[in-house]
Amino acid sequence: MKRLWIGCGALILMLAVSLLPWYLTVSMERAVTSKIAQAEDHATAGDWEKAAAAAEEAKSEWDRRQNILEAFSSHEPLEYMQTIFGDLMLSAEEEDCDSFLRAAFRIRLTAQISSQEQKLSWSTLF
């Protein structure tokens, strides 16, 4: 009976560990995309100071979580995200609304794709 409980405990632990990457990625996606949406709204309204501030908050949120994501995610989207954030900040400095909105869209899309890759499935469990 003791071995049964040890086996059940190990199974529950493995399931919890397999859910951790998904949870971290989804929380990153939500945090970054909400800040990017605020930045888009401010840029569309022409308030570039608030747009740059919201974009900087999104970048700091991304930087804070990037080290954790590197442990279990593919590095290509993470490196691409750094490049896009550079484009976003440059567009904010130049006050170029079109390129700012394109960069913001690419950030949201890349964050969503990263989140989808970590979605719980049979391949991530076994």
Side-chain angles (χ1 to χ4, degrees):
M1 191 69 171
K2 186 177 181 180
R3 290 181 185 163
L4 175 69
W5 288 112
I6 291 172
C8 288
L11 182 64
I12 290 171
L13 180 65
M14 286 188 292
L15 182 62
V17 168
S18 68
L19 289 174
L20 184 65
W22 173 78
Y23 172 76
L24 292 173
T25 308
V26 167
S27 67
M28 176 275 304
E29 177 199 354
R30 288 181 183 153
V32 169
T33 55
S34 68
K35 298 292 183 190
I36 290 295
Q38 290 175 0
E40 287 175 324
D41 292 341
H42 292 305
T44 304
D47 190 356
W48 286 102
E49 289 178 12
K50 288 183 181 178
E56 188 62 42
E57 288 177 19
K59 185 171 181 346
S60 68
E61 190 71 37
W62 168 257
D63 289 340
R64 189 170 64 93
R65 297 174 190 239
Q66 180 183 2
N67 293 335
I68 297 169
L69 293 174
E70 286 177 348
F72 53 81
S73 293
S74 130
H75 290 275
E76 293 157 358
L78 301 179
E79 293 168 0
Y80 181 61
M81 189 73 95
Q82 289 289 51
T83 304
I84 303 170
F85 268 116
D87 294 344
L88 184 75
M89 301 313 287
L90 182 64
S91 298
E93 287 175 14
E94 295 175 351
E95 297 183 1
D96 183 3
C97 189
D98 289 335
S99 62
F100 187 87
L101 294 177
R102 276 194 304 271
F105 175 75
R106 290 189 337 223
I107 287 172
R108 284 188 290 118
L109 186 63
T110 305
Q112 290 171 355
I113 289 170
S114 295
S115 177
Q116 291 286 325
E117 287 176 353
Q118 297 301 325
K119 190 169 73 173
L120 186 63
S121 65
W122 288 110
S123 64
T124 58
L125 285 175
F126 301 106

